[in-house]
Amino acid sequence: MTEARPGTTGRTAQEVLAWSRDQVQPALRAAVATMPQATQRITNYHFGWQDEQGRPAKADGGKALRPALALLAAEAVGGLSDLAVPAAVAVELVHNFSLLHDDVMDADTTRRHRPTAWTVFGINAAILAGDALLGLAFDVLAGSGNPAAQEGTRLLGTAVQDLVDGQLADSHFETRNDVGLAECVRMAELKTGSLLGSACALGAAFGGGRPEQVVQLRRFGADLGLAFQYVDDLLGIWGDPAVTGKPVHSDLRRRKKSLPAVAALTSGTDAGRELAALYHDTLPLSDLELARAALLIDQAGARHRSQAEADALLASALEQLAGAHPVTSAAAELGKLAQLATRRDH
């Protein structure tokens, strides 16, 4: 491995995320500024840059984990993070396209401690704004001038197809009572793991990495993405609203077939069978029933199992990262980001 660069391995994960936002935000804002004004009004609100009246705001814009992974992946293969800024912007645009659509599909009314875009501007407007962000992502890659732009377009296109496939499976799960754990895991790999894998692969490609490094870093991101989804699903049941920006038991309220819920439902335990009765009912769940459902998932062993799976996937991700023979300093910071992303209190 290449020797660490002075002054970089001491950065915390939060400092790395702040550095990434400083690197990416100007280019992200410049890209969004090329969109029609009507679309910008919605996207600027969604990103937290404006309020619903179009006035400047500084709302929570999210962790921006994916852009940070892209920048560090470029450094991990010996390139400069500046080279991967277009890749980081494109991945963040795709991620936010998916969030705008997810909020509509899931009927979520809160994101990042604010009303979701569709509740402010309407369902059709939010969907179209998401479509616009998706198109803009590929425009950013095509106009980057990076030698890996064509390869990057294919990488991102594959990730988008996977993401949509995963989202479609997730939506189909809502009407089924026979969802198996293996297909739920596969859905999460497509919906979440693919884009995190693409972020790392894009960064590595734009940083001039060798093909085998691009593959290894994609695997690192994919394993991290699935671990992230396990943790996110745990937070969707037990997360603090002050941290998650969503109401307590938000996933249970929708009877979402999340990874812990499906693990409990298919556990063959008395707790799993009682949970199934709650999930298969059609009446809205009361606060007492929501608390009971959360307890049943825990009693079925699914809470512990989900955290154990996340921990195992994190270990696998770090092994994939080591297999890329990365620059030491960048590898250390990628490891810190991975640890942060899989913490239950993040």
Side-chain angles (χ1 to χ4, degrees):
M1 290 186 180
T2 306
E3 288 301 315
R5 289 176 288 110
T8 58
T9 54
R11 292 191 301 190
T12 66
Q14 293 293 355
E15 288 171 339
V16 171
L17 290 173
W19 161 79
S20 171
R21 285 191 290 269
D22 288 344
Q23 291 270 92
V24 173
Q25 277 289 320
L28 180 62
R29 283 180 174 265
V32 172
T34 66
M35 301 167 70
Q37 286 295 324
T39 312
Q40 279 190 57
R41 184 182 174 209
I42 304 164
T43 55
N44 287 351
Y45 171 83
H46 171 74
F47 279 115
W49 302 336
Q50 293 180 353
D51 65 13
E52 57 270 29
Q53 302 300 323
R55 296 171 297 204
K58 292 184 179 179
D60 180 12
K63 294 180 290 296
L65 171 66
R66 292 155 188 82
L69 291 173
L71 297 185
L72 286 178
E75 292 193 349
V77 299
L80 298 174
S81 61
D82 290 356
L83 296 172
V85 167
V89 169
V91 169
E92 187 69 352
L93 289 169
V94 168
H95 175 54
N96 281 277
F97 135 76
S98 73
L99 296 183
L100 282 164
H101 285 201
D102 279 357
D103 287 342
V104 171
M105 296 177 69
D106 294 340
D108 281 337
T109 58
T110 304
R111 177 172 293 281
R112 298 166 182 164
H113 312 284
R114 293 203 305 170
T116 46
W118 73 266
T119 67
V120 176
F121 301 101
I123 290 175
N124 292 342
I127 291 173
L128 292 170
D131 293 342
L133 290 181
L134 178 60
L136 183 60
F138 288 96
D139 185 57
V140 168
L141 288 183
S144 67
N146 191 290
Q150 185 174 2
E151 177 189 0
T153 299
R154 289 196 297 269
L155 284 169
L156 190 61
T158 298
V160 170
Q161 293 295 332
D162 286 346
L163 188 158
V164 171
D165 193 21
Q167 181 64 53
L168 186 61
D170 195 19
S171 65
H172 286 164
F173 289 174
E174 295 177 7
T175 60
R176 289 177 49 197
N177 294 329
D178 61 344
V179 177
L181 185 56
E183 60 182 327
C184 191
V185 170
R186 180 56 180 160
M187 177 274 293
E189 289 174 339
L190 293 169
K191 184 178 175 181
T192 306
S194 186
L195 189 57
L196 264 74
S198 177
C200 296
L202 275 168
F206 272 58
R210 301 185 305 276
E212 59 270 24
Q213 290 181 302
V214 174
V215 169
Q216 285 294 127
L217 283 162
R218 183 193 62 76
R219 290 173 177 165
F220 160 72
D223 280 349
L224 175 59
L226 184 54
F228 179 91
Q229 189 61 59
Y230 268 106
V231 173
D232 197 57
D233 284 356
L234 289 167
L235 291 172
I237 300 173
W238 292 282
D240 181 354
V243 176
T244 65
K246 293 185 177 183
V248 67
H249 299 149
S250 58
D251 284 355
L252 296 180
R253 196 175 299 276
R254 300 198 315 272
R255 294 182 168 91
K256 186 176 179 64
K257 306 297 196 315
S258 64
L259 288 161
V262 173
L265 290 167
T266 58
S267 64
T269 62
D270 289 341
R273 284 185 283 273
E274 185 179 341
L275 179 69
L278 289 174
Y279 256 61
H280 298 167
D281 198 355
T282 56
L283 295 175
L285 295 172
S286 67
D287 288 344
L288 284 176
E289 288 173 323
L290 290 169
R292 179 63 179 168
L295 178 62
L296 290 169
I297 293 172
D298 197 355
Q299 290 178 340
R303 184 178 188 175
H304 174 76
R305 178 177 178 178
S306 294
Q307 187 60 53
E309 289 289 345
D311 293 341
L313 284 160
L314 173 61
S316 176
L318 295 177
E319 288 181 8
Q320 299 292 348
L321 174 61
H325 304 291
V327 171
T328 305
S329 53
E333 293 183 341
L334 282 168
K336 289 179 182 179
L337 283 186
Q339 294 282 352
L340 177 69
T342 52
R343 273 174 37 197
R344 292 260 307 270
D345 60 343
H346 72 291

